[in-house]
Amino acid sequence: MTLSRSTLTRDAILDAAEHLFAGQGHDKTSMRQITKAAGVNLSAVNYHFGSKDALIEAVFQRRLTDLNDERLAILDALEAQAHGQPLKPSAIVEAYFGPLVRHACSAGAERRAFIPLQSTNQSDPNGAITALFEAERSIVAHRFTRALLASLPGVPETEIVWRFHFMLGATAYAIMGAESSNQILNLSGVNDLDAPALLSRLMAFLLGGLRAPLPAQSVSANKTSLSHIDPATTDRPSSSSPKGASMQANDG
């Protein structure tokens, strides 16, 4: 299907703004820079978006929608195949973080440029971007949190939320911080954003954190332990800990 000239112009503005926002922050990016990079005049930006704030929101919305639609489609398919049975935790984690890694490692530079935007949204004086992220995340996070709770019976919801939060941070740094790690630690190969290799390493790390023993206070507060679950049903056996219960489940 041939895109209209109007659509091509709108996409060019979004791509240019996204690249500039990712590199220097939206608050430090001028409309003049955006129009120059997109090869359009200011009236074209005003026609399609009305204001810089609206353009910023559109940049975030475009990538968030694509990313979350893919996540939910994968989760829907997994749940349909499971016929009401709990999913494996590894499948849930990969359904959420896999699309993000693939978007970041895709050939299109515009997709990779979106990843740093998630950390630059802190400069958000009117709260519009934060509100957008919260609205998009709330629906998706609810679905994935419910799925993890079902797959990890007995694990406190608060603990699931915290570990999900830690996984988000680890994933963002794995994608964005590879070059910095290479320079600081003199590690070779860490800046290679090959999606399958990165996702394989990342999944091993994330699932290790998800399997980690529960903090003593969580075990005490909930009077529960997952140590009764047969390790043979896990992808990898988790080591036991005298300080807390291990978060083993049907696959860990």
Side-chain angles (χ1 to χ4, degrees):
M1 182 178 67
T2 303
L3 297 177
S4 68
R5 182 177 179 180
S6 177
T7 299
L8 290 172
T9 299
R10 187 177 190 277
D11 287 346
I13 295 169
L14 286 170
D15 290 343
E18 184 174 58
H19 182 77
L20 290 167
F21 293 165
Q24 59 193 33
H26 54 79
D27 55 330
K28 295 180 181 179
T29 300
S30 68
M31 293 294 280
R32 182 184 295 274
Q33 289 175 306
I34 295 170
T35 55
K36 181 179 179 180
V40 301
N41 54 39
L42 184 59
S43 62
V45 178
N46 290 331
Y47 172 78
H48 286 284
F49 303 100
S51 67
K52 183 182 177 182
D53 285 345
L55 172 58
I56 293 170
E57 289 184 45
V59 167
F60 278 82
Q61 183 72 69
R62 179 174 65 159
R63 295 303 174 202
L64 279 173
T65 298
D66 289 347
L67 185 62
N68 287 333
D69 284 350
E70 184 176 344
R71 285 166 166 164
L72 291 174
I74 295 171
L75 185 60
D76 286 342
L78 290 172
E79 291 179 337
Q81 294 169 7
H83 301 293
Q85 295 299 310
L87 301 178
K88 293 181 178 181
S90 60
I92 300 168
V93 172
E94 186 162 0
Y96 188 89
F97 293 100
L100 179 59
V101 171
R102 287 188 289 273
H103 276 239
C105 298
S106 64
E110 73 282 353
R111 275 190 168 188
R112 186 177 299 180
F114 167 72
I115 306 303
L117 289 176
Q118 298 185 78
S119 63
T120 61
N121 71 354
Q122 295 175 358
S123 178
D124 182 21
N126 61 11
I129 299 172
T130 300
L132 176 61
F133 264 86
E134 292 298 327
E136 288 287 333
R137 282 176 176 168
S138 62
I139 299 172
V140 178
H142 177 77
R143 284 284 308 280
F144 278 84
T145 299
R146 294 299 105 189
L148 280 173
L149 285 169
S151 71
L152 297 168
V155 178
E157 182 173 359
T158 300
E159 192 64 29
I160 293 290
V161 172
W162 269 113
R163 296 193 183 202
F164 203 77
H165 174 69
F166 296 149
M167 289 191 289
L168 283 168
T171 302
Y173 190 81
I175 294 169
M176 296 166 51
E179 186 174 350
S180 297
S181 295
N182 190 25
Q183 294 174 350
I184 296 171
L185 302 176
N186 195 28
L187 299 176
S188 61
V190 297
N191 58 345
D192 180 16
L193 285 180
D194 173 68
L198 177 58
L199 186 57
S200 178
R201 291 187 177 97
L202 183 63
M203 284 294 296
F205 182 82
L206 297 182
L207 291 174
L210 191 62
R211 293 188 185 100
L214 291 171
Q217 61 268 31
S218 294
V219 176
S220 175
N222 289 273
K223 306 294 184 183
T224 186
S225 171
L226 300 184
S227 59
H228 65 282
I229 297 176
D230 183 2
T233 64
T234 65
D235 284 342
R236 279 192 318 228
S238 296
S239 59
S240 60
S241 170
K243 294 184 179 181
S246 175
M247 290 181 67
Q248 296 180 17
N250 53 357
D251 86 327

